[in-house]
């Protein structure tokens, strides 16, 4: 039974790269068959060509074309077969519409990101059928390999010439061949012109849409290059009522004018990005701008081919670009990466503005960080005791998680507005600030600045953790000591104290829970960046400051002060509230749908252990469970910081598409600095000359 079920699965997997033998494929050639049958025949031939196994000892890529050379040799040695093949290929090209291939392949058909995402998901499971008279559908079925575009682009002149000769095979005489070539040339030029006009109309419509137009500096719409684009293209490609076309003498001048307008459209598109940088990023606007850039790039590609339609090498490159675009069109991951790169960059830059405040570069800033962290530790001690009271109430898990969320959120907001700090929140904010320096690492002074800031970030986090723990541990212990010795009452039971110490053991699931907490810390920084971006994108500051009823109630100056308050504090409020609810309700939600998880936050856990020591007495410090808990808390702090920093830094680097080689070079520079001067991680150092104190120069 098992073998009966396994055999179909093996056949299905093997069929992915299977193909018929060449003699069986060539025997099916016939130009009189239906279009679907001819398309299927060409698809099978493409699968046979793709089965190129690399010979042992081969050092060049010429082996990839061995099957193509063998096919051409077989056809050249068999004129009758070559004639039948040539007629069939010509009929396939003539009966399939090329316009969709030229102006649609690889370009988004939807006006919004989510609609395009759904289309691509459908395309992954519902490929086009070979009975469609569209070259775009045929291309999607012919070229399915990841290296097909490079294979096409690597065709040498000798192979291109032989393929062109095969395409002409079957034409009776030179006069007929010339006539057929001229007709094919005219059809190709006309298809290129129609495709360019279609793309121009799409660029014009998008460029003049409200989403794009309102983000441009021009007041008069007629001054926009998108408005003039259609006239510039029609002067070349639009057929007159009398059938006349521009004279050969006029075409170069009109072509240069069209290219100039296209350059102006690209410059206008760049100004939209500048507006987004200043006023917030929208996924839909980024998608539309990226789609318009792709259209402009395709117009340039088609214009180059149209300007010299007889240059075979240009058409080889055009075909390779269309193959690559067709494959990208089917890729869901490519769409997500391309669309969200700018959004991620903007969210990262918003977080970077906050992260700059958490990096200490001299002794004064270092001391201020320790004091602020100590203040955060005091608030955290109160949070720990309130959390004990909540768990002692024995409510349902959801209710307990909700009240714990309120406790955490209120505590974190109090720390924020008191201008104190919580150490584990810093890495997710400081990582984007470091990534902001990545634009300059190509220069020696930029690399020095990045290394200086990396070391300062590590030192700042160490100072913040030390400040938190130095305050939370003695305060939590002292409160319990006073309660036990003065009021003769423990704030938590002895059993609860023992269970608390045991729960933080390094030998238990503490490391996994600490990693989960690091992910939540990073997620809260994303929420903060998104909120700040939303505030800027929708001009909420202006909405509040000019709100009519609010002005009547508090006056114009107070309305402006309220708007300024939210502009300064929205990201902080969202970060702290979201982190509080993630720490409180996040474990309950995850545990409901999956494995049981808990929160392990180094500062809160230290306060809990200090409270347990106050209940059990100093004798517990001589036991193994206590020191296992200490080791667990130490690892917990490392994992909280490391995971949240790593996730934020990886996202920041991906938003800048930094090459892997540069990543290794940067990592090596940081490690060399630490090995040369390990104490720089604990004691402030004078920055390098290229990175003066407080330097916040923008990337070049």
């Amino acid at each position: 039974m098992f073998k009966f079920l396994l055999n179909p699965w093996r056949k299905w997997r093997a069929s992915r790269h299977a193909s018929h033998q060449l003699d069986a494929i060539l025997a099916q050639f016939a130009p009189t068959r239906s279009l679907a049958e001819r398309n299927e025949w060409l698809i099978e031939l493409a699968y046979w060509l793709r089965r190129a196994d690399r010979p042992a000892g081969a050092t060049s890529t010429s082996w990839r074309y061995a099957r193509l050379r063998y096919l051409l040799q077989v056809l050249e040695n068999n004129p009758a077969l070559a004639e039948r093949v040539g007629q069939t290929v010509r009929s396939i090209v003539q009966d399939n519409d090329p316009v969709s291939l030229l102006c649609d392949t690889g370009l988004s058909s939807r006006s919004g990101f989510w609609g395009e995402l759904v289309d691509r998901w459908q395309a992954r499971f519902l490929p086009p059928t070979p009975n469609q008279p569209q070259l775009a559908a045929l291309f999607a079925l012919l070229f399915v390999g990841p290296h097909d575009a490079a294979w096409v682009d690597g065709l040498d002149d000798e192979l291109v010439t032989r393929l062109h000769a095969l395409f002409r095979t079957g034409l009776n005489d030179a006069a007929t061949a010339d006539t057929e070539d001229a007709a094919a040339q005219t059809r190709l030029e006309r298809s290129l012109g129609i495709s360019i006009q279609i793309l121009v109309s799409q660029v014009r419509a998008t460029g003049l849409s409200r989403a794009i137009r309102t983000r441009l500096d021009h007041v008069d719409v007629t001054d926009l290059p998108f408005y003039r684009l259609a006239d510039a293209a029609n002067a070349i490609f639009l057929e007159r009522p009398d059938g006349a076309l521009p004279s050969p003498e006029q075409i170069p001048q009109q072509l240069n004018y069209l290219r100039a307008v296209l350059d102006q459209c690209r410059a206008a598109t760049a100004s939209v990005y500048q507006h987004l940088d200043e006023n917030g990023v929208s996924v839909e606007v980024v998608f539309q701008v990226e789609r318009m850039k792709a259209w402009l790039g395709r117009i340039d590609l088609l214009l180059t081919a149209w300007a010299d339609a007889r240059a075979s090498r240009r058409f080889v490159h055009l075909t390779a670009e269309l193959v690559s675009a067709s494959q990208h069109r089917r890729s869901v991951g490519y769409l997500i990466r391309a669309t969200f790169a700018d959004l991620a960059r903007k969210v990262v830059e918003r977080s970077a503005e906050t992260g700059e405040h958490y990096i200490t570069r001299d002794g004064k800033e270092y001391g201020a960080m320790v004091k602020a962290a100590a203040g955060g530790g005091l608030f955290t001690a109160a949070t720990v005791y309130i959390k004990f009271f909540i768990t002692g109430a024995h409510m349902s898990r959801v209710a307990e998680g909700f009240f714990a969320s309120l406790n955490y959120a209120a505590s974190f907001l109090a720390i924020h507005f008191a201008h104190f700090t919580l150490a584990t929140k810093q890495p997710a904010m400081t990582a984007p600030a470091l990534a902001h320096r990545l634009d300059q690492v190509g220069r020696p002074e930029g690399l020095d600045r990045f290394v200086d800031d990396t070391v300062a970030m590590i030192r700042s986090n160490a100072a913040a953790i030390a400040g938190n723990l130095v305050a939370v541990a003695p305060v939590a212990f002292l409160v319990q000591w006073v309660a036990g010795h003065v009021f003769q009452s423990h704030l938590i039971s002895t059993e609860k104290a023992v269970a608390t110490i045991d729960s933080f053991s390094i030998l238990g699931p503490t490391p996994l829970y600490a990693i989960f907490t690091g992910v939540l810390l990073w997620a809260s920084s994303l929420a903060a960046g998104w909120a700040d971006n939303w505030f800027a994108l929708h001009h909420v500051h202006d909405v509040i400051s000019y709100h009519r009823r609010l002005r009547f109630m508090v006056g114009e100056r107070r309305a402006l002060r309220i708007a300024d308050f939210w502009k300064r504090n929205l990201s902080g409020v969202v970060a702290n509230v979201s982190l509080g609810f993630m720490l409180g309700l996040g474990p309950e939600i995850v545990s409901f749908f999956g494995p049981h998880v808990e929160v392990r936050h180094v500062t809160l856990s230290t306060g809990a252990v200090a409270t347990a020591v106050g209940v059990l007495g100093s004798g517990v410090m001589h036991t193994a469970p206590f020191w296992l808990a200490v080791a667990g808390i130490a690892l917990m702090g490392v994992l909280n910081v490391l995971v949240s920093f790593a996730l934020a830094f990886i996202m920041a680097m991906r938003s800048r598409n930094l090459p892997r080689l540069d990543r290794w070079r940067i990592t090596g520079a940081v490690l060399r600095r630490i090995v040369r001067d390990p104490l720089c991680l604990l004691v402030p150092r004078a920055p390098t000359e290229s990175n003066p104190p407080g330097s916040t120069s923008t990337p070049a």
Side-chain angles (χ1 to χ4, degrees):
M1 182 66 180
F2 179 74
K3 185 177 181 181
F4 174 77
L5 296 175
L6 188 61
N7 284 338
W9 170 247
R10 288 174 176 173
K11 291 180 179 180
W12 173 257
R13 291 188 62 185
S15 67
R16 181 176 184 179
H17 301 291
S19 68
H20 298 290
Q21 296 299 319
L22 180 61
D23 55 351
I25 297 173
L26 295 180
Q28 300 173 5
F29 272 87
T32 58
R33 293 193 174 188
S34 67
L35 178 61
E37 291 176 317
R38 284 175 283 154
N39 286 345
E40 283 185 305
W41 166 82
L42 194 59
I43 292 167
E44 288 302 322
L45 183 61
Y47 269 90
W48 180 84
L49 288 172
R50 193 177 294 108
R51 285 174 52 195
D53 299 326
R54 183 168 185 165
T59 55
S60 66
T61 58
S62 59
W63 60 273
R64 297 184 182 276
Y65 305 99
R67 284 182 174 245
L68 178 59
R69 295 181 188 276
Y70 175 73
L71 170 65
L72 292 173
Q73 184 179 356
V74 169
L75 295 176
E76 290 165 357
N77 292 335
N78 192 335
L81 181 60
E83 179 178 345
R84 189 154 47 91
V85 170
Q87 291 176 350
T88 306
V89 173
R90 286 198 303 275
S91 68
I92 291 174
V93 173
Q94 292 170 358
D95 294 344
N96 284 287
D97 179 25
V99 173
S100 61
L101 172 66
L102 297 173
C103 66
D104 295 334
T105 296
L107 302 176
S108 301
S109 58
R110 297 285 185 170
S111 59
F113 169 78
W114 299 109
E116 181 66 18
L117 183 65
V118 172
D119 274 2
R120 296 202 180 195
W121 273 113
Q122 290 182 168
R124 288 180 64 89
F125 301 102
L126 298 174
T129 55
N131 62 344
Q132 301 179 33
Q134 301 286 338
L135 273 182
L138 183 58
F139 252 58
L141 296 170
L142 281 175
F143 302 103
V144 296
H147 306 293
D148 286 354
W151 185 88
V152 172
D153 205 27
L155 290 170
D156 58 30
D157 294 338
E158 182 251 341
L159 282 174
V160 172
T161 303
R162 293 173 69 183
L163 287 170
H164 184 253
L166 174 64
F167 186 80
R168 289 164 53 95
T169 303
L171 300 177
N172 296 327
D173 51 36
T176 304
D178 291 341
T179 302
E180 289 283 345
D181 279 351
Q185 192 77 14
T186 301
R187 182 170 182 261
L188 178 59
E189 291 179 356
R190 186 171 182 273
S191 299
L192 287 169
I194 292 174
S195 301
I196 291 172
Q197 286 181 289
I198 292 173
L199 291 169
V200 163
S201 66
Q202 292 172 330
V203 171
R204 186 175 189 268
T206 304
L208 295 179
S209 65
R210 180 179 178 274
I212 304 299
R213 189 181 67 249
T214 55
R215 288 173 168 84
L216 298 173
D217 297 332
H218 299 271
V219 177
D220 191 350
V221 175
T222 58
D223 292 336
L224 295 174
F226 304 109
Y227 186 84
R228 304 192 305 271
L229 186 58
D231 291 338
N234 290 339
I236 303 174
F237 302 108
L238 185 63
E239 295 182 2
R240 276 58 170 180
D242 57 358
L245 292 174
S247 64
E249 294 79 13
Q250 295 175 324
I251 288 180
Q253 180 180 358
Q254 293 171 341
L255 190 60
N256 290 336
Y257 176 68
L258 175 58
R259 291 188 184 279
V261 176
L262 290 171
D263 289 338
Q264 293 172 6
C265 289
R266 272 185 285 272
T269 303
S271 69
V272 173
Y273 276 122
Q274 183 178 358
H275 183 278
L276 293 174
D277 286 342
E278 297 172 356
N279 299 281
V281 176
S282 165
V283 174
E284 296 300 324
V285 174
V286 169
F287 177 78
Q288 291 190 35
V289 173
E290 286 296 320
R291 187 174 62 156
M292 192 159 53
K293 287 170 60 179
W295 284 337
L296 291 170
R298 180 62 58 82
I299 292 173
D300 271 342
L301 191 65
L302 299 183
L303 271 179
T304 302
W306 181 88
D308 190 0
R310 297 183 181 275
S312 61
R313 174 48 56 184
R314 289 185 178 180
F315 276 97
V316 169
H317 178 66
L318 172 62
T319 304
E321 289 292 330
L322 292 174
V323 171
S324 177
S326 176
Q327 293 176 343
H328 286 160
R329 178 69 176 81
R330 297 193 296 267
S331 173
V332 175
Y334 180 83
L335 171 69
I336 294 175
R337 288 192 301 272
T339 305
F340 280 92
D342 289 289
L343 180 62
R345 186 183 182 105
K346 192 59 188 172
V347 171
V348 162
E349 288 179 355
R350 293 280 178 182
S351 299
E353 295 174 6
T354 304
E356 288 287 349
H357 302 296
Y358 290 119
I359 300 179
T360 62
R361 297 180 174 85
D362 55 33
K364 182 178 180 181
E365 293 179 350
Y366 187 82
M369 175 62 69
V370 173
K371 293 179 182 178
L378 292 176
F379 279 92
T380 308
T383 309
V384 170
Y385 279 106
I386 297 175
K387 177 65 166 53
F388 277 134
F389 293 149
I390 293 173
T391 55
H394 302 293
M395 296 179 285
S396 66
R397 294 188 60 181
V398 175
E400 183 178 304
F402 175 73
F403 284 106
S405 299
L406 294 179
N407 176 36
Y408 292 144
S411 174
F412 297 155
L413 286 175
I415 292 172
H416 171 76
F417 287 111
H419 302 292
F420 294 146
T421 187
L422 193 64
T424 49
K425 284 174 52 184
Q426 294 182 12
M429 295 294 185
T430 53
L434 288 181
H436 199 61
R437 302 278 192 254
L438 290 175
D439 296 325
Q440 300 177 324
V441 295
R443 301 191 302 270
E445 62 273 15
L447 182 60
D448 288 339
R449 182 179 297 115
F450 179 84
V451 173
D452 285 343
D453 285 346
T454 301
V455 173
M457 183 277 300
I458 298 173
R459 186 171 57 240
S460 301
N461 279 279
I465 291 177
N468 280 166
L469 301 189
V470 164
V472 69
V475 170
F477 175 82
L478 184 61
V479 170
Q480 170 55 43
W481 186 89
V482 170
H485 288 74
V486 177
F487 299 102
Q488 305 298 318
S489 174
H490 293 312
L491 298 178
I492 61 174
S493 65
T494 303
E495 294 77 9
K496 179 64 175 178
V498 172
T500 297
I501 292 179
D502 290 340
S503 66
F504 297 133
S505 173
I506 194 173
L507 301 180
T510 291
L512 297 178
Y513 295 162
I515 293 173
F516 171 70
T517 306
V519 175
L520 298 183
L521 292 166
W522 167 71
S524 70
S525 73
L526 281 187
W530 173 86
D532 203 5
N533 180 74
W534 176 86
F535 190 90
L537 177 65
H538 296 283
H539 307 285
V540 180
H541 179 274
D542 294 339
V543 171
I544 296 175
S545 59
Y546 289 101
H547 196 279
R548 180 175 177 272
R549 294 178 63 181
L550 183 63
R551 283 186 166 192
F552 267 107
M553 185 174 68
V554 300
E556 293 183 9
R557 294 184 61 183
R558 288 189 177 180
L560 181 60
R561 290 173 61 185
I562 293 173
D564 290 339
F565 169 84
W566 283 111
K567 183 178 181 180
R568 292 190 308 269
N569 294 286
L570 178 67
S571 62
V573 170
V574 171
N576 288 294
V577 172
S578 63
L579 179 59
F581 276 84
M582 287 179 190
L583 294 179
L585 283 173
E588 307 303 330
I589 296 173
V590 175
S591 299
F592 179 81
F593 291 101
H596 175 75
V597 293
E598 297 178 11
V599 168
R600 288 294 183 267
H601 188 280
V602 60
T603 308
L604 295 170
S605 300
T606 301
V609 170
T611 302
V613 171
V615 172
L616 300 174
S618 59
V620 73
M621 300 176 64
H622 301 287
T623 64
F626 172 79
W627 289 107
L628 288 176
V630 171
I633 289 176
L635 181 60
M636 188 189 307
V638 173
L639 292 176
N640 284 169
V641 171
L642 187 61
V643 171
S644 60
F645 174 81
L647 291 173
F649 192 68
I650 289 171
M651 179 182 176
M653 284 204 298
R654 288 190 178 277
S655 72
R656 281 163 168 76
N657 295 319
L658 196 67
R660 182 175 297 180
L661 191 62
D662 286 346
R663 298 177 196 175
W664 285 111
R665 182 171 61 88
I666 294 168
T667 304
V670 174
L671 292 177
R672 285 193 298 273
R673 174 72 64 83
I674 295 174
V675 171
R676 189 172 63 245
D677 184 15
L679 289 179
C680 68
L681 299 178
L682 300 175
V683 181
R685 297 282 192 257
T688 58
E689 294 182 1
S690 60
N691 187 23
S695 173
T696 57
S697 59
T698 57

